[in-house]
């Protein structure tokens, strides 16, 4: 009985040609690579039980959420760190780049943003010191003040 129900669901599943895209705005990936405004908020760098972690808070009155490692962009199984140029800081830089440049789709561009964040921000922070890092400061340090609202 369940197998029959699954087959019927497959038969009624919509196809791409079932949708009307005439009124959809056409946007290329290149147009999204330089957004008019950047992301707002603060990256919170903390030490919890001896482990460096990163959180993201959209606004000062909101709750923070865990900044997740981006294994799809940087293959590293260890945790985040900051204050030097090793693999922990590289992992943090890739996670930050994915957050603050969400619309970068050109192959290699996201890695270039992560490297810039590593060189200009993450590696220059005091090692192992908890701090708040405003996203606006990341844009300034990376030479993109136009992304600040």
């Amino acid at each position: 009985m369940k197998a029959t129900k699954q087959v019927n669901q497959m038969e009624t599943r919509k196809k791409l040609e079932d949708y009307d895209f005439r009124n959809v705005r056409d946007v290329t990936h290149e147009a999204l690579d330089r957004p008019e405004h950047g992301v707002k908020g603060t990256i919170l760098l903390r030490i919890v039980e001896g482990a460096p972690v990163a959180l993201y808070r959209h606004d000062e009155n909101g709750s923070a959420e865990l900044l997740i490692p981006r294994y799809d962009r940087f293959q590293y199984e260890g945790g985040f760190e900051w204050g030097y140029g090793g693999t922990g800081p590289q992992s943090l830089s890739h996670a930050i780049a994915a957050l603050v440049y969400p619309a970068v789709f050109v192959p290699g561009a996201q890695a270039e943003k992560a490297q810039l964040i590593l060189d200009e921000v993450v590696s220059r922070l005091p090692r192992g010191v908890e701090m708040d890092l405003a996203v606006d400061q990341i844009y300034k340090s990376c030479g993109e003040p136009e992304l600040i609202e």
Side-chain angles (χ1 to χ4, degrees):
M1 189 76 134
K2 287 185 181 181
T4 306
K5 188 174 185 179
Q6 287 178 346
V7 170
N8 290 339
Q9 286 177 350
M10 292 296 287
E11 290 173 4
T12 60
R13 193 170 101 182
K14 290 191 175 198
K15 299 175 186 155
L16 189 59
E17 56 267 9
D18 294 332
Y19 295 94
D20 180 8
F21 292 104
R22 288 177 292 181
N23 295 322
V24 175
R25 189 172 58 130
D26 184 25
V27 178
T28 64
H29 288 300
E30 289 81 17
L32 295 172
D33 285 337
R34 297 287 301 175
E36 288 182 29
H37 302 290
V39 173
K40 294 180 181 178
T42 305
I43 310 276
L44 311 170
L45 302 176
R46 301 291 186 261
I47 308 295
V48 178
E49 295 288 326
V53 297
L55 305 165
Y56 169 68
R57 180 179 292 138
H58 178 70
D59 61 55
E60 62 185 59
N61 297 323
S63 60
E65 58 190 63
L66 190 62
L67 186 63
I68 58 170
R70 293 303 303 260
Y71 301 118
D72 59 325
R73 296 170 192 239
F74 185 71
Q75 301 291 315
Y76 177 62
E77 294 294 323
F80 293 144
E81 290 196 54
W82 53 90
Y84 65 103
T87 51
Q90 288 176 9
S91 181
L92 176 60
S93 297
H94 280 272
I96 292 172
L99 174 74
V100 302
Y101 298 106
V104 174
F105 297 109
V106 175
Q110 189 71 240
E112 290 173 12
K113 298 289 189 187
Q115 186 64 48
L116 188 60
I117 290 169
L118 177 67
D119 295 342
E120 299 301 324
V121 181
V122 173
S123 65
R124 296 178 182 207
L125 299 172
R127 188 172 183 175
V129 175
E130 291 187 350
M131 57 189 335
D132 294 356
L133 182 60
V135 172
D136 288 354
Q137 186 58 47
I138 294 169
Y139 291 136
K140 285 180 190 173
S141 297
C142 293
E144 298 183 311
E146 69 274 8
L147 294 178
I148 300 169
E149 287 188 4

